[in-house]
Amino acid sequence: MSLRARDKGEQAQKTLYDAYTRLADRAAFAHAQANENMKPAGVIEEPATVPSIKGITPKASVGTASNMETFAQIQKDLSVAQRSRGTLQSRLHDVSDNLQRSNLQAAIDKKRLDELASEKVALARRLRDRDEELRGKAKLLEVGVAISGLRRAKK
């Protein structure tokens, strides 16, 4: 029960989470760009601490050139991955919007097709009725002409 409530709360805040994620992606991108632009050629920035991943601490000593190069490469890879994620997220949003618009247009078109089909059926019915009416009037005229011809013949 509490998981459902939590999920409902998270879904209600989804736009906020998405906006924060986009902001974090832009900040990481800007930070990576600033670091790349500020470094003199050949100088590797030494981080204050080496982050641990899921409680795993690095076994090699902090500060060696190899570790610094590895850390710089990981940082660069993270920056590239975050840019890629932002790009993909933007494309997903655009495609989702396009799909939603297309589905809405398809629903409108289907409704219009249904209306046109029912109008076609109604017009066909009216045309048949009009044809029957004209045939009936033509018969009445034939009968009227025949009767008037008989009256003249009697006179």
Side-chain angles (χ1 to χ4, degrees):
M1 182 81 158
S2 63
L3 290 177
R4 288 185 186 145
R6 185 205 65 195
D7 290 345
K8 200 180 262 188
E10 286 178 357
Q11 288 299 321
Q13 299 297 325
K14 186 173 181 355
T15 56
L16 179 65
Y17 293 148
D18 289 343
Y20 179 77
T21 302
R22 286 191 302 273
L23 178 64
D25 289 344
R26 286 196 309 260
F29 176 72
H31 180 68
Q33 290 296 322
N35 282 345
E36 288 177 12
N37 293 337
M38 306 269 302
K39 286 183 196 175
V43 175
I44 299 174
E45 182 181 309
E46 186 173 327
T49 61
V50 176
S52 62
I53 300 172
K54 293 186 181 179
I56 300 172
T57 56
K59 293 187 180 184
S61 63
V62 176
T64 65
S66 176
N67 284 344
M68 299 314 297
E69 290 171 7
T70 304
F71 182 76
Q73 183 60 40
I74 291 172
Q75 202 172 28
K76 189 183 284 186
D77 291 345
L78 175 63
S79 159
V80 168
Q82 285 177 329
R83 280 193 302 266
S84 175
R85 180 181 177 269
T87 302
L88 289 173
Q89 199 169 30
S90 174
R91 285 181 53 202
L92 173 65
H93 184 265
D94 293 344
V95 168
S96 295
D97 286 348
N98 194 9
L99 176 64
Q100 188 175 10
R101 280 191 304 272
S102 296
N103 284 338
L104 181 62
Q105 186 62 44
I108 291 169
D109 291 345
K110 183 183 180 331
K111 184 177 178 182
R112 180 70 178 140
L113 284 172
D114 291 343
E115 289 172 355
L116 289 172
S118 64
E119 185 177 353
K120 177 186 172 193
V121 168
L123 287 172
R125 187 178 316 122
R126 284 178 54 193
L127 181 63
R128 280 193 311 267
D129 290 348
R130 187 65 42 107
D131 285 344
E132 288 176 16
E133 182 181 334
L134 289 174
R135 280 192 293 264
K137 287 183 179 180
K139 284 182 183 177
L140 284 175
L141 283 175
E142 288 175 15
V143 170
V145 168
I147 291 175
S148 66
L150 286 174
R151 286 184 189 164
R152 285 188 200 152
K154 282 186 178 180
K155 290 186 183 182

